[in-house]
Amino acid sequence: MNRVIRREGNISTFIGWMLVVMAILAFITVILLAIFAEPALLIFLFTPVIALIGAWVNFHLGARARLEITPEEFIWCGFTGRPHRIAWRDLDRILLPVPGSRYRLAAAARLRDGRIVEIDSLWLSPTNPANILSPPDHTEAQRALIDGHKAYLARAF
């Protein structure tokens, strides 16, 4: 039952490395142009810096945003902040979001005490054209949460 879902982790890593290579090439180009053409072109050194910041964002988000399901609990983690966790024993039901909900909302957990906790850890890369053209598909995460809860209930009773 141990499972980790990283939405677009591989895409984020690939895009991150592409941005690093582009930043290095842009840095070399600006330096060469400043040396051989016009020293004022050094002003364009901000371009590789922006590309490196974009690479860091892709590496960080692709590695951090995840949903992890274990036999005792599930853990989700977004771009910032500490990981959130809910023990299966505290969970009453997994609720699927209604159409038109926030695009990052994968599911909601209704706890036994009546509270509702939103699970929106799955990051959507702005560099993936599929995220611009269509709403995200959280089916895999929703199915994993429901199956994890069913497995816990089957084991508990």
Side-chain angles (χ1 to χ4, degrees):
M1 187 156 99
N2 291 340
R3 187 163 180 201
V4 176
I5 298 172
R6 290 185 197 277
R7 181 163 170 78
E8 300 179 16
N10 293 337
I11 292 172
S12 294
T13 302
F14 177 74
I15 296 295
W17 281 115
M18 283 181 46
L19 287 170
V20 167
V21 169
M22 288 179 2
I24 291 169
L25 292 174
F27 181 75
I28 292 169
T29 303
V30 168
I31 295 295
L32 289 175
L33 285 173
I35 291 171
F36 295 115
E38 181 66 40
L41 291 175
L42 282 175
I43 190 77
F44 291 107
L45 278 177
F46 70 89
T47 304
V49 171
I50 291 172
L52 287 172
I53 291 170
W56 175 82
V57 166
N58 272 280
F59 286 135
H60 185 69
L61 291 176
R64 181 166 166 75
R66 74 179 193 279
L67 173 64
E68 185 175 345
I69 297 173
T70 69
E72 299 303 319
E73 65 187 355
F74 64 95
I75 305 160
W76 71 100
C77 193
F79 174 53
T80 60
R82 61 178 177 72
H84 307 280
R85 55 184 71 226
I86 295 178
W88 293 117
R89 68 179 177 278
D90 298 334
L91 182 68
D92 179 44
R93 178 169 292 192
I94 296 291
L95 305 170
L96 301 181
V98 297
S101 298
R102 290 182 302 113
Y103 72 97
R104 289 186 61 220
L105 183 63
R110 185 172 68 196
L111 304 180
R112 293 192 187 276
D113 64 7
R115 290 183 298 141
I116 303 286
V117 179
E118 293 183 338
I119 304 166
D120 62 351
S121 64
L122 303 178
W123 177 66
L124 303 173
S125 169
T127 57
N128 186 344
N131 295 332
I132 298 169
L133 301 174
S134 65
D137 181 21
H138 295 301
T139 309
E140 180 185 8
Q142 293 165 349
R143 177 64 32 217
L145 284 166
I146 292 169
D147 291 346
H149 191 226
K150 284 181 183 177
Y152 171 79
L153 292 175
R155 195 180 75 207
F157 295 110

